[in-house]
Amino acid sequence: MNILAFETSCDETAVAVVRDGREILDSAVLSQTDLHALYGGVVPEIASRSHLEAIAPLTRTVAARHSIDAVAATAAPGLIGALLVGLNFAKGYAMAAGLPLIPVHHIRGHIAAAYLSEPELKPPFLAAVVSGGHTLILEVRDYTDMRTVGGTRDDAAGEAFDKAARVLGLGYPGGAALSRLAETGDARRYPFPQAVVRDAPFDMSFSGVKTALINLIHNAKQLYGDAWAEETDLPSVAASFQRAVVEALTTRICYAAETLGYGTVVLAGGVAANKSLCASLRERLGDKIRIPPVPLCGDNAAMIGSQAFYEAQSGAFAALSQNAFATFPPGGRALCCG
Ligand code: KG4
Ligand code: ZN
């Protein structure tokens, strides 16, 4: 079954064709990062308009060479105006071509990225989805049966990286730049706090560590004025911050795997590109950890096409009245309605 999939939940317009949930036949991702960098964050209206301009030409190049059996689109969660562009385009394509439509949850899609890089991978396993918008630990009991067991109480890990990077003057989105800066730093030079969420051992909080970094830089500016950057060991600030975030994630993910008895753990989402996080999980989990390659960790449509195959197998097709949702739980009830 060849599925034409669309992903427009945030600032990437992505289209892909995936065969039987496991093989990418074609995939294109058009990033809008440059448009939003000017504002230091994603501007929802610019995102929607940009998806609208990009989606039809991108579809023409991706879909042209393949026979298509079904159409899928991310229907939740995300920026609602951005989601509506991709979902409605998918709906129009499906209607015109007489094909079934499959709505896909973005988080389920991030997890499915691992089916594309790990041919042997099958549920059950534990998954950690760590991105700019989400930080969640889930039990993946079956392809379409999952349960959230932990997550952040405030900022997503990627969001904390991005805010820290902005304060350090590294631009937007700065997660990757911050981790590059950290490479030459001493991760033990600056003490950053580690939050513990009482009675919720798999939950995390990143607002404290973010605020600590903001305060540290604020103090340096007050002390040194314009010379604050030269007077501060910025690589060590970045490395110490990164260490605190990576430790928080590694501890919770490993504790959840151990407590719940999972022999396989999948790391997904944009922050899975972080080398320090990958190394820390590999060190603690050995060959239990599965991490898709970087292009599949960030937002893309191939992961949506993969998950759509399994949603279709469970009969979760959309009616033409299918709506999009800014928020929606990844586990439990199906996303399709109407
Ligand atoms: O999954 P993704 O592409 O989009 C969302 O669904 O949010 O994740 C993007 C996030 C951004 O916050 C970005 O800064 C972060 O992933 N990121 C990184 C790295 N590469 C990307 N964070 C830390 N280290 C990296 N190397
Ligand atoms: Zn994402």
Side-chain angles (χ1 to χ4, degrees):
M1 183 190 227
N2 289 354
I3 299 182
L4 173 64
F6 298 96
E7 156 60 43
T8 63
S9 67
C10 191
D11 60 348
E12 263 96 26
T13 313
V15 186
V17 180
V18 177
R19 180 188 287 157
D20 296 337
R22 296 280 176 167
E23 188 189 348
I24 303 172
L25 300 183
D26 239 307
S27 177
V29 180
L30 205 70
S31 175
Q32 307 172 0
T33 301
D34 292 350
L35 292 178
H36 302 290
L38 202 63
Y39 306 94
V42 178
V43 182
E45 186 179 336
I46 293 177
S48 305
R49 290 177 181 278
S50 180
H51 288 310
L52 199 58
E53 284 173 13
I55 198 162
L58 206 59
T59 304
R60 184 159 271 165
T61 59
V62 169
R65 293 186 289 275
H66 309 283
S67 68
I68 307 295
D69 303 306
V71 182
T74 306
L79 299 172
I80 195 65
L83 285 167
L84 288 172
V85 175
L87 179 61
N88 211 33
F89 189 84
K91 220 185 251 194
Y93 193 106
M95 252 184 99
L99 297 172
L101 177 68
I102 308 150
V104 176
H105 193 288
H106 184 75
I107 297 296
R108 292 187 180 204
H110 269 302
I111 296 167
Y115 302 140
L116 296 166
S117 58
E118 307 282 334
E120 306 301 325
L121 178 69
K122 287 186 179 68
F125 55 82
L126 190 80
V129 179
V130 189
S131 74
H134 308 275
T135 299
L136 289 170
I137 302 176
L138 306 104
E139 284 187 277
V140 181
R141 298 189 280 211
D142 206 341
Y143 290 101
T144 57
D145 175 16
M146 35 204 99
R147 186 173 81 96
T148 303
V149 294
T152 180
R153 291 293 180 105
D154 39 56
D155 293 9
E159 193 181 353
F161 266 110
D162 290 340
K163 285 183 181 158
R166 186 152 77 176
V167 174
L168 295 175
L170 299 173
Y172 172 86
L178 187 143
S179 71
R180 271 196 304 277
L181 179 66
E183 279 170 18
T184 55
D186 171 5
R188 293 177 193 278
R189 172 141 190 210
Y190 294 93
F192 278 105
Q194 281 262 3
V196 173
V197 183
R198 196 177 301 158
D199 299 329
F202 310 146
D203 279 357
M204 295 153 259
S205 159
F206 296 107
S207 73
V209 64
K210 176 194 71 183
T211 306
L213 182 133
I214 292 171
N215 288 344
L216 192 151
I217 299 302
H218 179 75
N219 289 343
K221 283 182 177 169
Q222 285 201 323
L223 214 62
Y224 303 113
D226 286 347
W228 73 273
E230 294 83 69
E231 295 294 335
T232 312
D233 179 2
L234 292 179
S236 294
V237 173
S240 304
F241 172 86
Q242 175 173 265
R243 178 167 170 258
V245 175
V246 165
E247 265 298 303
L249 286 164
T250 306
T251 317
R252 300 323 187 282
I253 295 167
C254 295
Y255 187 57
E258 194 184 308
T259 313
L260 302 170
Y262 283 95
T264 304
V265 179
V266 165
L267 174 68
V271 182
N274 186 279
K275 287 184 197 147
S276 169
L277 176 61
C278 296
S280 167
L281 287 169
R282 286 204 175 98
E283 193 186 317
R284 291 276 302 270
L285 293 169
D287 59 6
K288 284 183 185 171
I289 186 79
R290 306 276 189 283
I291 308 172
V294 172
L296 288 174
C297 286
D299 287 351
N300 66 88
M303 68 186 198
I304 302 301
S306 171
Q307 181 61 24
F309 176 74
Y310 297 104
E311 299 291 343
Q313 288 201 323
S314 77
F317 293 102
L320 287 174
S321 56
Q322 175 71 44
N323 217 329
F325 307 92
T327 59
F328 201 96
R333 78 196 155 101
L335 190 49
C336 49
C337 62

